[in-house]
């Protein structure tokens, strides 16, 4: 269980710190929204919502990683505090969901695998 959570945290950290960007403020805001959506879904324990939120986050992350390094630095500087807050909230809610049993370790692994496969 801790391993699954650790993998999820690593994915979130990569999403918030990886660089590539092009003046895509809307994309940055969508990523922040997707992290909050994942936190909401984890809090609810609704597997459909979790799957939808994970898919959305992975798709947006893929778009973000295709941006230029220059723009990524600009976006990171502008949205860093928002990304950190959303990332921390997502981490906390995923951890709570795992501990409470709302998300099973296999479900968490599925979430992690989906995000890893969206390169």
């Amino acid at each position: 269980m801790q391993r699954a959570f650790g993998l999820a945290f690593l994915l979130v950290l990569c999403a918030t710190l990886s660089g590539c960007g092009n003046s895509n403020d809307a994309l940055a805001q969508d990523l922040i929204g997707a992290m909050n959506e994942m936190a909401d879904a984890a809090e609810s324990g609704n597997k459909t919502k979790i799957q939808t939120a994970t898919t959305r986050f992975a798709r947006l992350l893929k778009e973000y990683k295709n941006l230029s390094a220059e723009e990524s630095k600009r976006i990171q500087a502008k949205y860093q505090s928002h990304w950190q807050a959303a990332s921390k909230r997502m981490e906390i809610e995923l951890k709570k969901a795992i501990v409470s049993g709302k998300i099973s370790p296999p479900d968490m692994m599925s979430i992690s695998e989906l995000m890893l496969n969206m390169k």
Side-chain angles (χ1 to χ4, degrees):
M1 182 165 70
Q2 287 181 348
R3 183 178 173 154
F5 175 71
L7 181 57
F9 176 72
L10 179 62
L11 290 171
V12 171
L13 185 61
C14 288
T16 59
L17 297 179
S18 69
C20 303
N22 201 322
S23 86
N24 291 301
D25 293 281
L27 177 59
Q29 292 169 356
D30 286 347
L31 271 166
I32 293 165
M35 284 187 267
N36 282 314
E37 185 180 336
M38 285 184 68
D40 291 341
E43 187 175 26
S44 76
N46 182 310
K47 288 186 181 190
T48 302
K49 286 182 181 180
I50 293 168
Q51 184 67 33
T52 300
T54 302
T55 301
R56 179 174 179 244
F57 178 75
R59 180 182 52 78
L60 291 167
L61 183 59
K62 183 179 178 181
E63 287 179 40
Y64 177 76
K65 288 183 176 185
N66 288 327
L67 299 175
S68 72
E70 234 176 63
E71 185 60 18
S72 176
K73 288 179 184 179
R74 185 192 70 79
I75 287 174
Q76 287 177 19
K78 185 172 183 178
Y79 294 99
Q80 182 177 11
S81 64
H82 297 286
W83 282 2
Q84 286 176 340
S87 175
K88 184 172 183 166
R89 179 171 177 254
M90 186 172 74
E91 172 192 347
I92 289 168
E93 292 304 329
L94 285 170
K95 184 176 181 180
K96 284 181 186 176
I98 292 169
V99 171
S100 71
K102 290 181 181 177
I103 298 176
S104 68
D107 289 339
M108 190 64 228
M109 290 304 295
S110 294
I111 292 168
S112 300
E113 287 174 11
L114 178 61
M115 286 193 275
L116 284 173
N117 289 327
M118 297 297 285
K119 294 180 181 176

